[in-house]
Amino acid sequence: MIEMYRKRLKSWIVVAFAGTLGLTGCHKTAMPNATTAPVPAVAAGDLYLAGAADYQNGDKDKAVDELAISVHQNPDAVMPRQLLAKIYLEKNDYAKAADQFQVLTKLDPYTQPNFYELGYCQQLLNQLPQAVSNYQQALQLDPRDAKAATNLGVVYLSLNQIGDAVKSLDVATQLDDKSWYAWASFGIALDAHGHARDAEQAFRRSLELDVSQTSTIYKLGSNLLSQGRASEAVPVLQELVKRDDSIRSHKKLAEAFVASHDLAGATAEYRKLVQLDPRNYQMINALALVLIERYEKEAEFADNKKT
């Protein structure tokens, strides 16, 4: 019996020793080599702070790389994504900025700028129906956002929804009476809607706020011509060509001279146009017609004088 007990004890010791060897072997196998230990992953929060610091230091490309990893590691974090979207916007990468703002409108649906910026990106990407939707949402969250109302009106103009454009831009000019852009856009909408007199006042108000806007001067001159007030359009367009020595501007001034029966002025402008573009046969023909009309009038005047 004692012999049997000794045999059992010996077998337990062997098993226990073998188990110890096995566990030790497993432990040694699992231990990494000190020279090849992997570098710990940087936390998403640390990457956000690093990206923010690089952005402040002017290194936008590095900031983008760090923030992109941060939002990948923590997709629900709002602040890193907001900064990433802002940087994309500043880099004029509107498609990538729109992608980030699109996610932000889901993560943070009560922050109005997310919808405004998304609409702005979509407007620049010519995704106009989507831009309308997001500008409208931005205005629901903040009805006093003049920029959203202005841009919404401009998008409506691009979509040829003139009535909606007039309404939105009317609101925009009430919210921000000092925005030349809102007033100029309002004038375009009113002109397109057939309200020439109201459009004229909007253009004049825009130029009171910023007289350097040549596009608005051009619109005002064209508006006055459309109202049959060519003599008033001439000085407006003369001011235009001082600021914008382009074919488009000189052509509109020439048309105003013709409409106001100032053939000498029209001749001078068409000569200028031919100098600017000697192969523009349309302008050459217009000059010829004005010269013929001048000759006929001078001949008629000479005959009357003889008589």
Side-chain angles (χ1 to χ4, degrees):
M1 187 172 180
I2 293 173
E3 187 67 20
M4 185 181 297
Y5 176 77
R6 285 177 178 172
K7 288 181 179 179
R8 289 180 179 176
L9 181 60
K10 187 177 180 180
S11 64
W12 290 343
I13 291 171
V14 171
V15 171
F17 183 68
T20 303
L21 287 174
L23 289 173
T24 304
C26 290
H27 179 65
K28 286 183 178 178
T29 304
M31 284 291 289
N33 190 315
T35 61
T36 59
V39 178
V42 181
D46 293 337
L47 283 166
Y48 165 59
L49 295 175
D54 286 324
Y55 171 68
Q56 290 296 328
N57 293 329
D59 194 344
K60 293 182 181 180
D61 291 335
K62 187 176 179 182
V64 164
D65 292 339
E66 291 162 337
L67 292 166
I69 298 172
S70 178
V71 299
H72 178 74
Q73 290 180 353
N74 189 359
D76 294 335
V78 171
M79 294 178 66
R81 197 178 293 275
Q82 283 180 331
L83 182 55
L84 180 59
K86 178 183 178 182
I87 296 173
Y88 279 139
L89 199 58
E90 291 178 1
K91 289 167 67 70
N92 298 329
D93 194 338
Y94 302 117
K96 289 183 179 178
D99 289 341
Q100 298 304 321
F101 284 120
Q102 186 78 64
V103 176
L104 284 166
T105 59
K106 304 294 189 299
L107 294 175
D108 191 9
Y110 300 106
T111 296
Q112 189 263 5
N114 292 336
F115 290 93
Y116 172 82
E117 298 293 3
L118 177 55
Y120 178 70
C121 292
Q122 290 168 333
Q123 180 181 358
L124 294 175
L125 293 167
N126 205 35
Q127 299 170 359
L128 301 184
Q130 297 92 322
V132 166
S133 177
N134 284 295
Y135 281 140
Q136 288 175 335
Q137 183 62 32
L139 286 166
Q140 285 184 8
L141 292 169
D142 183 5
R144 301 198 61 78
D145 187 344
K147 288 184 178 180
T150 301
N151 287 358
L152 177 59
V154 171
V155 174
Y156 278 137
L157 274 174
S158 299
L159 292 170
N160 204 33
Q161 299 177 19
I162 306 302
D164 291 328
V166 169
K167 291 176 185 177
S168 186
L169 291 164
D170 187 14
V171 170
T173 54
Q174 293 178 45
L175 291 173
D176 184 5
D177 184 53
K178 304 298 183 182
S179 170
W180 72 264
Y181 181 62
W183 280 107
S185 301
F186 190 29
I188 294 170
L190 288 167
D191 229 353
H193 209 237
H195 302 296
R197 287 279 184 174
D198 292 335
E200 176 193 344
Q201 296 307 312
F203 290 137
R204 291 189 184 279
R205 175 57 180 158
S206 178
L207 289 171
E208 286 175 7
L209 295 166
D210 188 353
V211 72
S212 68
Q213 295 302 319
T214 55
S215 61
T216 307
I217 300 174
Y218 181 92
K219 290 291 184 182
L220 175 58
S222 300
N223 171 276
L224 292 169
L225 277 174
S226 71
Q227 293 186 58
R229 295 157 61 189
S231 59
E232 295 176 59
V234 166
V236 171
L237 295 168
Q238 284 176 322
E239 181 63 28
L240 172 64
V241 297
K242 291 178 185 177
R243 298 173 180 272
D244 178 32
D245 189 30
S246 67
I247 291 176
R248 178 172 176 260
S249 298
H250 282 284
K251 182 180 178 183
K252 185 59 67 174
L253 177 56
E255 291 172 4
F257 277 131
V258 171
S260 61
H261 307 292
D262 185 344
L263 297 182
T267 301
E269 285 306 309
Y270 281 123
R271 286 188 188 280
K272 176 72 173 179
L273 285 164
V274 172
Q275 289 175 358
L276 290 171
D277 187 3
R279 294 182 178 276
N280 191 326
Y281 297 110
Q282 183 181 3
M283 295 301 102
I284 294 172
N285 288 336
L287 174 60
L289 290 172
V290 170
L291 289 171
I292 290 169
E293 187 174 354
R294 283 188 68 183
Y295 173 79
E296 289 175 346
K297 286 186 177 296
E298 288 170 2
E300 182 181 354
F301 176 77
D303 290 341
N304 289 337
K305 189 176 181 180
K306 287 180 181 179
T307 303

